[in-house]
Amino acid sequence: MPVNLKMLTAQIAGMFVVFALALFLPAGTLAWPAGWAFLVLFFGFTVALSYWLLQYNPALLTERMTGIGKADQKTWDKVFFAVANVLFLAWLILMPLDAVRFRWSQMPSWLQVIGALLLLGSFYLFFLTFRENAYLSPAVRLQTEREQKVISTGLYHYVRHPMYATATIFLISTTLLLGSWYGLGVALLLVIAIAFRAVQEERTLRAELAGYDEYMAQVKYRLIPYVW
């Protein structure tokens, strides 16, 4: 099935507008270098990854674009996705209020630079995860139409949910780059939500995906090796 390029362009453009408004309207100014740095890095990666998927795994790109809301997506996951997106948007809005408009947080510039470097590192880990797992749907559902199977290679050899583990790094690094200590508190809530989804998703995979029980026995950690 060919990728709907108009839909892809509209989704990326729409997400850019939402992110830009969520960051710069609360900031009250466009003169926020950290905010622009985040947008350039994040959407540069988004476009680059989309282009790579378009060339090498268009089926996965289509799944990423259309997976949410399908009939076989678990009901609890539809609710989770809606709530998590509201929390994510609140997180984006809080950080410019904190770091720019009201200046509650005073984060040293060197720590913001570390945040940018960690953010770049998270993008590389995201890429490795996408490259390894052709079934990386944004929704919790069994992709029977694509003959989904267990992935146990690459980063999946070390943790069962490298996408979620990398999302944790992304959340923390973004708060550092944008200079918001209060953002770290909301990021922690998002990490807890990610952990909850990982547990719930495993219950689905154990029940419906052949071989997942054996994979869980082989790879014991969900997000952090030797911890959890």
Side-chain angles (χ1 to χ4, degrees):
M1 178 183 297
V3 175
N4 187 329
L5 293 179
K6 289 184 178 179
M7 178 186 291
L8 175 63
T9 302
Q11 286 183 350
I12 294 176
M15 187 165 59
F16 179 86
V17 170
V18 170
F19 274 48
L21 291 176
L23 290 172
F24 287 100
L25 282 181
T29 179
L30 293 175
W32 184 25
W36 286 112
F38 171 75
L39 285 181
V40 169
L41 293 175
F42 181 83
F43 283 95
F45 172 70
T46 299
V47 170
L49 179 63
S50 298
Y51 179 77
W52 186 87
L53 288 172
L54 186 63
Q55 297 297 312
Y56 296 101
N57 200 337
L60 175 56
L61 180 57
T62 297
E63 175 63 26
R64 297 296 301 180
M65 293 165 55
T66 62
I68 295 298
K70 286 187 175 180
D72 57 353
Q73 181 183 4
K74 302 304 177 184
T75 301
W76 67 263
D77 190 51
K78 293 178 181 179
V79 175
F80 172 90
F81 192 82
V83 173
N85 271 277
V86 170
L87 185 58
F88 184 86
L89 184 60
W91 175 66
L92 286 181
I93 293 171
L94 171 64
M95 289 186 287
L97 288 174
D98 173 23
V100 183
R101 183 179 289 269
F102 299 116
R103 298 186 182 276
W104 296 322
S105 291
Q106 299 296 323
M107 189 173 292
S109 57
W110 63 265
L111 197 52
Q112 291 182 267
V113 172
I114 289 177
L117 294 175
L118 287 174
L119 186 62
L120 290 171
S122 75
F123 293 156
Y124 179 64
L125 294 175
F126 276 133
F127 168 71
L128 293 180
T129 305
F130 274 91
R131 188 179 66 179
E132 203 67 36
N133 188 355
Y135 310 101
L136 199 63
S137 176
V140 175
R141 71 183 194 91
L142 188 65
Q143 300 167 63
T144 53
E145 76 284 1
R146 299 181 61 215
E147 299 181 348
Q148 183 176 352
K149 62 181 181 181
V150 174
I151 304 298
S152 59
T153 54
L155 296 180
Y156 288 87
H157 178 72
Y158 304 100
V159 291
R160 300 200 291 263
H161 301 280
M163 184 73 167
Y164 296 158
T166 304
T168 299
I169 300 172
F170 166 81
L171 292 168
I172 294 172
S173 61
T174 297
T175 60
L176 295 180
L177 169 58
L178 297 181
S180 174
W181 292 115
Y182 285 95
L184 284 174
V186 180
L188 178 60
L189 293 178
L190 286 165
V191 170
I192 292 172
I194 287 171
F196 167 80
R197 194 189 198 211
V199 173
Q200 294 298 114
E201 184 174 346
E202 284 181 350
R203 291 177 179 174
T204 298
L205 294 174
R206 290 183 68 181
E208 301 181 15
L209 183 59
Y212 200 79
D213 271 327
E214 292 80 1
Y215 171 66
M216 289 182 66
Q218 178 187 11
V219 179
K220 301 183 182 302
Y221 303 100
R222 292 186 175 97
L223 302 183
I224 307 173
Y226 306 107
V227 177
W228 189 76

